[in-house]
Amino acid sequence: MLLAFFLYIKGKKISSLLIFFFFVSLGFQLIPEEAMNLGIGFSKGTDYAVILILACFIYDLFTIKNYLKPDPLLWILISFFAFLAISVIYSKFYVGASWNEIIRTIRQFVLFLSFLIFRQLKYDEIERLMKYLFTITTFLSFIYLCQSVFSEKLLQGFVGGKMQIGEFKLIRYYNQPLMLHLFAIMAVFKNPFKGSPKFISSFLLIASIFMGFHRSLTGFFILILIIGFVLGLSRVRQVRIFVVSLAILLPTIAVVGNNFVKSSIYKDLQSVWVGNFADTDFDLDDLAGSTFAFRIGHLFERMKFLSESPVRKAFGAGLITEDSKLTDGMFDFAIGIHEELTGRAVQLESPDISYSPLIIRYGYLGGLIFLNIYFYLLYFFYKKRHIDYGLVGLLLLILSFLVSFFSDNLLQPINYALFMLLYAITQKREEYLQEQEIISKP
């Protein structure tokens, strides 16, 4: 970390930021978490990434003139940090959380400040950084795929159960490279390589998406590839494809919708919609057989808890951690991943959906302010979709929102940095193209 900061102040920002991404991606998933615990109060790569970004931010703030120049995203980030400041006061003096818990809960949001770091880079620098990260993720994808060949865990992360495909039983490796989604999309629409390297990198990255055997991710990834190709067509052809797709999908939607209306999940949704949380009745045995129903039940149970207090609705339960004594006394949720030792459901965290952890800690107000960052990015990338990096950002955001109902991806720290990087490089790319157009004019 000290080396990275030294490189940064010496002007070797790309080398410094590569170390930053090494930390925020948990050692590129090659280094065990225990190896990062140096006994100095920090135990995770994210901790080092947070401190590094904070140090670089403070250094730049005092050395670069007009460092905080206005930007729509900057104002949105400021509003979010203002909410966090209020939430800190609420959590400390109303909920009774300790300073240690509060810091542990919100420290990862410092990574949003990476936007200010990235926007100081020149276009060729930031594109070089993106190419390095693309190459690293391609290499990690190769290692990830080797896991299935050798049936051996090679990357850090969770490994699931086994999946039956015909006569073969395959281990489900959930430890996909953390930057995979971005660079799998980039492999198709903005691959930095040409020829054989382009084909090989595209194959490795896309194959890694499918080899996770996530049905939702696989389906959504194919969908956003289709959206990406359609956006590249003329307006007339886009309209034709839309009409044909609508004609094909309407009968399917009608059948699926009719079945859904008759389901018990729909009745529970109706009860929640009108505020009758007590009328919802999620049977845990039924939930075990339906992963989507499990996620809906997980979210509704937390919504019911928030409905019991107007203050909770706005600010949530506060900035507390899973291992806090406050957590044990405040919650008794039945739906969630059950701990092996205690048999008790995990109360705050969930890898299965982004919105339950978001609203239980930050409430509806905090959740909305947080999501407003992503809403603005979606608007920005849509407006810049004619720029290659803008299209990549748009497709990644669509994928992220779709997958957010099946994972905690919106709350993963590395994604804060990646979206800030995409925002900065799209702006730099637009400026670069405008300069090139001016230069090319006779």
Side-chain angles (χ1 to χ4, degrees):
M1 182 180 67
L2 293 175
L3 172 63
F5 183 65
F6 176 77
L7 290 171
Y8 188 84
I9 62 178
K10 288 296 183 181
K12 300 183 183 298
K13 294 185 177 181
I14 302 304
S15 299
S16 176
L17 290 172
L18 282 173
I19 297 175
F20 162 72
F21 276 102
F22 170 81
F23 285 137
V24 80
S25 64
L26 312 180
F28 293 133
Q29 293 167 264
L30 297 171
I31 310 296
E33 185 175 315
E34 304 79 48
M36 293 194 179
N37 189 348
L38 302 180
I40 56 175
F42 313 123
S43 60
K44 296 181 180 179
T46 306
D47 294 338
Y48 298 104
V50 165
I51 294 171
L52 177 59
I53 283 297
L54 193 58
C56 293
F57 165 74
I58 294 172
Y59 173 79
D60 284 347
L61 187 62
F62 288 99
T63 58
I64 298 178
K65 187 178 180 180
N66 196 26
Y67 184 63
L68 297 176
K69 62 182 178 182
D71 182 281
L73 178 60
L74 182 58
W75 287 114
I76 292 172
L77 291 176
I78 289 173
S79 69
F80 176 64
F81 284 122
F83 169 82
L84 286 182
I86 297 172
S87 187
V88 166
I89 297 171
Y90 163 75
S91 300
K92 179 61 181 176
F93 300 104
Y94 184 85
V95 178
S98 68
W99 288 117
N100 179 54
E101 291 177 73
I102 291 171
I103 293 171
R104 285 171 58 192
T105 303
I106 65 172
R107 61 190 172 184
Q108 73 272 14
F109 294 126
V110 170
L111 297 177
F112 279 125
L113 295 178
S114 61
F115 159 61
L116 296 168
I117 309 296
F118 296 141
R119 77 172 181 176
Q120 300 303 320
L121 300 177
K122 298 176 182 177
Y123 173 67
D124 62 321
E125 290 178 322
I126 197 168
E127 189 168 55
R128 190 151 42 95
L129 174 62
M130 188 71 87
K131 186 174 181 179
Y132 288 150
L133 294 176
F134 180 94
T135 304
I136 290 168
T137 306
T138 301
F139 173 69
L140 295 176
S141 295
F142 171 73
I143 296 177
Y144 173 78
L145 294 172
C146 286
Q147 294 180 139
S148 297
V149 176
F150 299 110
S151 297
E152 189 70 33
K153 180 181 175 181
L154 301 175
L155 293 178
Q156 298 301 308
F158 180 68
V159 175
K162 293 185 178 181
M163 184 175 185
Q164 187 79 34
I165 300 182
E167 299 179 357
F168 300 96
K169 281 188 177 181
L170 298 177
I171 300 174
R172 296 189 66 177
Y173 291 96
Y174 293 106
N175 56 344
Q176 292 169 309
L178 293 176
M179 296 182 280
L180 178 62
H181 294 183
L182 165 58
F183 293 113
I185 295 172
M186 192 169 155
V188 179
F189 296 99
K190 180 57 179 172
N191 199 306
F193 298 112
K194 299 187 182 299
S196 297
K198 178 179 180 179
F199 173 79
I200 294 171
S201 62
S202 298
F203 172 78
L204 291 173
L205 290 162
I206 294 173
S208 295
I209 289 282
F210 292 118
M211 284 303 291
F213 299 112
H214 301 287
R215 288 172 296 177
S216 55
L217 174 59
T218 300
F220 292 145
F221 182 74
I222 293 173
L223 176 63
I224 62 106
L225 290 184
I226 294 172
I227 293 173
F229 284 119
V230 170
L231 288 174
L233 301 175
S234 65
R235 184 61 59 86
V236 174
R237 296 185 69 181
Q238 288 178 6
V239 172
R240 287 176 181 171
I241 291 174
F242 175 77
V243 172
V244 172
S245 300
L246 200 61
I248 296 173
L249 288 174
L250 278 177
T252 305
I253 294 172
V255 173
V256 173
N258 184 57
N259 292 335
F260 179 70
V261 168
K262 295 178 181 178
S263 69
S264 59
I265 293 178
Y266 176 74
K267 294 176 182 177
D268 289 327
L269 280 170
Q270 280 186 312
S271 296
V272 171
W273 182 258
V274 297
N276 298 326
F277 291 91
D279 294 340
T280 60
D281 183 22
F282 291 102
D283 189 293
L284 292 180
D285 293 330
D286 291 340
L287 287 177
S290 174
T291 55
F292 184 68
F294 173 87
R295 291 171 172 88
I296 293 293
H298 193 280
L299 178 60
F300 283 0
E301 192 176 24
R302 276 82 184 152
M303 290 172 64
K304 183 178 178 181
F305 173 82
L306 294 181
S307 71
E308 296 170 357
S309 165
V311 177
R312 286 179 186 168
K313 284 183 180 180
F315 298 103
L319 307 176
I320 57 179
T321 57
E322 189 69 48
D323 57 1
S324 170
K325 292 181 179 179
L326 289 171
T327 301
D328 292 334
M330 191 181 301
F331 310 113
D332 189 24
F333 298 133
I335 304 174
I337 296 176
H338 284 69
E339 298 174 331
E340 292 184 8
L341 294 177
T342 64
R344 186 170 184 256
V346 174
Q347 303 294 294
L348 293 171
E349 307 295 344
S350 174
D352 297 304
I353 186 170
S354 295
Y355 303 101
S356 294
L358 182 63
I359 64 168
I360 198 64
R361 275 209 176 96
Y362 309 103
Y364 296 124
L365 177 60
L368 184 61
I369 295 173
F370 173 81
L371 290 175
N372 191 43
I373 299 171
Y374 288 100
F375 293 151
Y376 173 73
L377 289 172
L378 184 66
Y379 167 76
F380 171 81
F381 287 129
Y382 179 77
K383 287 191 66 176
K384 307 298 181 183
R385 65 189 183 279
H386 58 284
I387 301 171
D388 39 25
Y389 283 114
L391 177 62
V392 169
L394 174 63
L395 297 178
L396 180 62
L397 256 174
I398 294 173
L399 179 63
S400 297
F401 273 120
L402 293 172
V403 174
S404 66
F405 292 94
F406 303 88
S407 77
D408 63 346
N409 64 307
L410 292 184
L411 303 176
Q412 292 175 3
I414 191 168
N415 288 328
Y416 306 158
L418 288 178
F419 276 114
M420 297 303 98
L421 179 63
L422 269 172
Y423 183 78
I425 197 172
T426 301
Q427 289 183 321
K428 297 291 182 180
R429 177 68 171 171
E430 183 175 39
E431 294 170 3
Y432 171 79
L433 292 174
Q434 290 173 346
E435 290 173 0
Q436 291 299 109
E437 184 178 342
I438 294 172
I439 293 172
S440 62
K441 289 182 179 179

